[in-house]
């Protein structure tokens, strides 16, 4: 009986070892420094494009800083939505990681990709209900944090701190 349990334990250990080797084999190898460099590069390129839009809007079209910033944000969101629609933004995200996801373009990508994914379920129950599945928490916590900071600022003003 002890011999049989010993053999079962050896088989279990062998299977665990084989599974560990399999997991090690199929787990992608990540180079953190390379990933960070790619994210920096992609995020930097997005920011440079935004700065170019901002400069052109101010210098060539004579817009004030706020209006130029609004145009810059709108054009970046439009570009992100179009790239998402043509399935190109996902390739950019795969290459650049957080560098493509963090700026305003990443937010636009999350909203438009959800709309594209759920369009087959209809305008109301598909797009209308699911469009903010990913972006909803960002909006929620952004608004809540703004409210908390506003209350703290108001209290600071009343106490003469701010």
């Amino acid at each position: 009986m002890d011999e049989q349990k010993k053999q079962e334990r050896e088989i279990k250990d062998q299977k665990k070892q084989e599974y560990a080797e399999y997991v090690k084999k199929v787990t992608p190898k990540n180079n953190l420094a390379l990933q960070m460099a790619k994210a920096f590069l992609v995020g930097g390129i997005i920011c440079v494009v935004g700065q170019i839009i901002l400069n052109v809007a101010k210098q060539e079209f004579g817009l004030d800083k706020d209006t130029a910033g609004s145009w810059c944000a709108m054009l970046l969101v439009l570009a992100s939505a179009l790239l998402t629609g043509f399935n190109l933004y996902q390739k950019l995200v795969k290459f650049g990681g957080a560098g493509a996801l963090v700026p305003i373009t990443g937010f636009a990508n999350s909203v438009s990709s959800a709309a594209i994914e759920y369009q087959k379920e209809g305008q109301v129950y598909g797009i209308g209900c699911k469009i903010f599945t990913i972006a909803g928490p960002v909006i929620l916590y952004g608004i809540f944090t703004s409210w908390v900071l506003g209350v703290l600022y108001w209290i600071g003003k009343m106490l003469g701190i701010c």
Side-chain angles (χ1 to χ4, degrees), residues 15 21 33 43 59 85 98 116 119 137 142 155:
K15 285 183 179 182
E21 289 172 8
Q59 293 171 1
I116 292 167
Q119 74 180 355
I155 292 170

Side-chain angles (χ1 to χ4, degrees), residues 3-158:
E3 188 65 34
Q4 186 180 6
K5 285 184 180 180
K6 186 177 181 183
Q7 285 178 345
E8 288 175 2
R9 192 175 302 135
E10 286 176 2
I11 291 172
K12 274 186 176 180
D13 289 342
Q14 183 180 3
K15 285 183 179 182
K16 282 183 183 179
Q17 184 179 4
E18 288 173 1
Y19 180 72
E21 289 172 8
Y22 170 75
V23 168
K24 190 175 183 181
K25 185 175 119 181
V26 298
T27 302
K29 309 284 186 280
N30 294 324
N31 182 341
L32 182 61
L34 182 61
Q35 285 180 315
M36 289 171 52
K38 287 178 179 180
F40 183 79
L41 178 70
V42 170
I45 289 171
I46 292 171
C47 291
V48 166
V49 169
Q51 189 64 49
I52 290 169
I53 294 170
L54 199 61
N55 290 347
V56 168
K58 286 194 307 190
Q59 293 171 1
E60 299 297 322
F61 296 106
L63 300 176
D64 62 284
K65 183 179 178 183
D66 291 336
T67 307
S70 297
W71 275 99
C72 176
M74 286 189 303
L75 290 173
L76 286 174
V77 166
L78 175 65
S80 175
L82 289 173
L83 289 173
T84 300
F86 290 120
N87 203 26
L88 297 173
Y89 203 86
Q90 296 309 103
K91 293 175 184 174
L92 185 65
V93 169
K94 190 173 183 177
F95 176 79
L101 291 175
V102 173
I104 191 172
T105 54
F107 182 77
N109 169 257
S110 70
V111 172
S112 55
S113 63
I116 292 167
E117 182 177 348
Y118 293 108
Q119 74 180 355
K120 58 188 161 276
E121 294 180 26
Q123 294 291 318
V124 175
Y125 292 113
I127 296 172
C129 293
K130 307 281 183 158
I131 195 167
F132 292 113
T133 304
I134 296 171
V138 174
I139 295 169
L140 171 71
Y141 290 115
I143 291 171
F144 179 72
T145 303
S146 299
W147 179 80
V148 168
L149 292 174
V151 168
L152 291 174
Y153 180 75
W154 178 68
I155 292 170
K157 282 289 236 183
M158 289 183 64

